[in-house]
Amino acid sequence: MTKLPSQNETPGRISEEAAGGLLHIDLDALASNWRSLRDSAGGAEAAAVVKADAYGTGIEQAVPALARAGCRTFFVAHLSEAIRARDVAPNATIYVLNGLFSGTGPTYAQFDLRPVLGSFEEIGEWAGFSRAQGKRLKAAIHVDTGMNRLGLTVPEGMTLRNLPDLQDFETALLMSHFVSAEEHDNPLNQQQIEAFQAVRDTLPGIPASLANSSGIFLKEKPHCDIVRPGYALYGGNPTPDRDNPMRPVVGLEGRIVQLRVVEPDQTVGYNGRWLALTRRRIATISVGYADGYPRSASARGKSGEELLAGVAMVAGRPCPFAGNVSMDLVTVDVTDVPERQVKRGDTVTLIGDNLTVDEVGRRAGTIGYEILTNLGRRYARIYRGGEG
Ligand SMILES: *Cc1c(COP(=O)(O)O)cnc(C)c1O
């Protein structure tokens, strides 16, 4: 008789024993980060940016945890993400940053979502849809103050108040976005603050939003009415040249599949890009680029060299990667860890244990944002907290 799968083996849910990597997500730390960002925002409302599956942490888990902490407004990038957020936050205000695609009005209305309008064309379509519905539907308007990516230009923004379409819907929010808020002395910050203020002055009474995570910490305090942190909620450092004021939210562990000794003059991994100069002990870990761990963290060079490449914490010690990150595996030089402290089946830390998402990003030649948003679907996801 065939055995029925136990609950731990249900397809779709990845159990700890069956997974290559364990992803720990601390929803209490997420809620605590939201409260601390709210307290840093000088009385402004704190929203939460939960695009890209809440920066890889899971919309279905992160949004309810944030809502229980008191968050009432959420920003996503896509309409599909907004529908998922609505499902778990029935009373929240939800904005879709990437704007309005033609014909999607009925979906916005069905799920009570608000588009962020970024052109006169989008404004015209939302106004037309509102007229057809016989309601002043709510939306945000995005003014581009320097990114040159999304939104009305500043001169266009200055003409908004004369636009007849504006009478047909409710502009619930006027927003813009910083180019380099993490560089606190970049003069562009002040220029953007002033350009945004000039547009706001022409539209009195409309709530405004400018600051992302790093924007909250600028000395100019551009908090306006509502702040829009993303990265810092998930433990990223919003003040890269100072200590991180946020609590870590994400931890990643990989399991040791094999340990082996590599003799001098042997190479490790695809294309033989890492050379052992002396006898080395190598641990092979069951996480690779197919899990979203970047291949750009590969260690190409010789043993003992200081390479800008990935590291793993093994028995509390940082151990450098050796060779190319492969699809499902990464090889780590554990020669410096006493032999009895490292064995097959042990877990090593790839994020956590003082190895921050910012540091993992830097070592892969990218930013922590990309590390978080690529967190893979093959991990066993282990959530803690979030009950409020
Ligand atoms: C992603 C995003 C945010 C959040 O930025 P963080 O740097 O992650 O805090 C805020 N506003 C807009 C428009 C965004 O696209």
Side-chain angles (χ1 to χ4, degrees):
M1 205 173 86
T2 45
K3 206 173 125 234
L4 288 171
S6 74
Q7 202 187 341
N8 279 348
E9 294 161 40
T10 309
R13 184 190 172 281
I14 299 169
S15 70
E16 286 185 45
E17 60 177 16
L22 312 179
L23 185 65
H24 299 271
I25 296 165
D26 184 344
L27 298 172
D28 286 341
L30 175 69
S32 152
N33 286 341
W34 180 81
R35 284 189 290 265
S36 122
L37 290 162
R38 176 200 59 197
D39 294 345
S40 302
E45 182 189 339
V49 180
V50 295
K51 59 193 179 188
D53 202 22
Y55 290 53
T57 65
I59 280 192
E60 282 75 16
Q61 292 77 20
V63 167
L66 289 162
R68 273 192 287 272
C71 183
R72 287 173 284 120
T73 305
F74 296 88
F75 289 85
V76 294
H78 299 294
L79 186 51
S80 63
E81 297 171 335
I83 294 168
R84 283 174 60 194
R86 171 58 75 221
D87 197 40
V88 290
N91 302 314
T93 297
I94 302 173
Y95 286 101
V96 179
L97 289 165
N98 280 14
L100 181 69
F101 285 120
S102 298
T104 54
T107 309
Y108 277 93
Q110 182 188 345
F111 294 98
D112 186 20
L113 307 170
R114 303 182 186 181
V116 177
L117 307 170
S119 68
F120 287 133
E121 232 179 314
E122 290 178 30
I123 289 172
E125 287 182 15
W126 190 249
F129 180 66
S130 291
R131 283 192 297 271
Q133 296 281 297
K135 279 186 234 155
R136 290 185 79 234
L137 297 171
K138 291 179 171 137
I141 295 181
H142 193 160
V143 177
D144 191 316
T145 52
M147 192 78 101
N148 282 316
R149 190 180 69 164
L150 269 184
L152 300 176
T153 64
V154 171
E156 285 173 341
M158 302 296 279
T159 70
L160 267 176
R161 70 193 158 105
N162 302 318
L163 192 73
D165 279 341
L166 232 53
Q167 306 308 315
D168 295 329
F169 65 93
E170 182 180 338
T171 306
L173 187 69
L174 186 69
M175 59 166 273
S176 190
H177 191 39
F178 280 118
V179 172
S180 307
E182 68 286 355
E183 298 167 11
H184 64 83
D185 51 1
N186 190 324
L188 195 51
N189 294 324
Q190 182 59 26
Q191 288 166 30
Q192 289 191 271
I193 290 167
E194 283 169 20
F196 187 54
Q197 187 59 47
V199 178
R200 278 181 78 185
D201 288 344
T202 69
L203 295 162
I206 296 181
S209 174
L210 178 57
N212 65 338
S213 298
S214 296
I216 294 170
F217 294 89
L218 288 173
K219 62 181 179 311
E220 293 89 350
K221 302 194 189 311
H223 300 142
C224 304
D225 299 295
I226 176 161
V227 295
R228 305 188 310 271
Y231 190 49
L233 289 171
Y234 310 99
N237 188 355
T239 56
D241 50 4
R242 280 176 276 156
D243 285 346
N244 190 353
M246 314 318 299
R247 277 172 60 180
V249 170
V250 169
L252 176 61
E253 292 176 296
R255 239 192 275 275
I256 299 178
V257 188
Q258 270 204 11
L259 285 152
R260 63 204 304 116
V261 168
V262 173
E263 300 296 342
D265 291 329
Q266 290 190 329
T267 64
V268 173
Y270 279 117
N271 310 118
R273 296 294 295 273
W274 187 90
L275 181 71
L277 294 181
T278 56
R279 200 162 196 264
R280 312 303 293 176
R281 275 171 41 247
I282 301 292
T284 303
I285 315 297
S286 57
V287 166
Y289 62 77
D291 297 289
Y293 198 98
R295 187 167 181 273
S296 56
S298 295
R300 296 165 189 162
K302 299 183 176 78
S303 61
E305 270 181 350
E306 281 281 337
L307 302 170
L308 183 64
V311 294
M313 301 299 293
V314 182
R317 233 181 248 256
C319 293
F321 285 12
N324 278 327
V325 174
S326 46
M327 188 185 294
D328 316 297
L329 298 165
V330 60
T331 32
V332 177
D333 184 345
V334 296
T335 311
D336 292 342
V337 182
E339 223 163 306
R340 62 191 150 71
Q341 286 182 19
V342 44
K343 58 180 195 306
R344 171 175 160 253
D346 285 355
T347 55
V348 307
T349 301
L350 294 167
I351 302 173
D353 224 355
N354 292 324
L355 191 52
T356 65
V357 286
D358 290 280
E359 177 68 3
V360 172
R362 190 185 72 82
R363 289 182 164 278
T366 180
I367 54 177
Y369 289 72
E370 196 176 340
I371 302 300
L372 288 178
T373 55
N374 280 335
L375 288 171
R377 296 157 305 278
R378 296 201 294 187
Y379 300 134
R381 288 182 169 238
I382 304 158
Y383 288 92
R384 70 171 284 267
E387 287 85 28

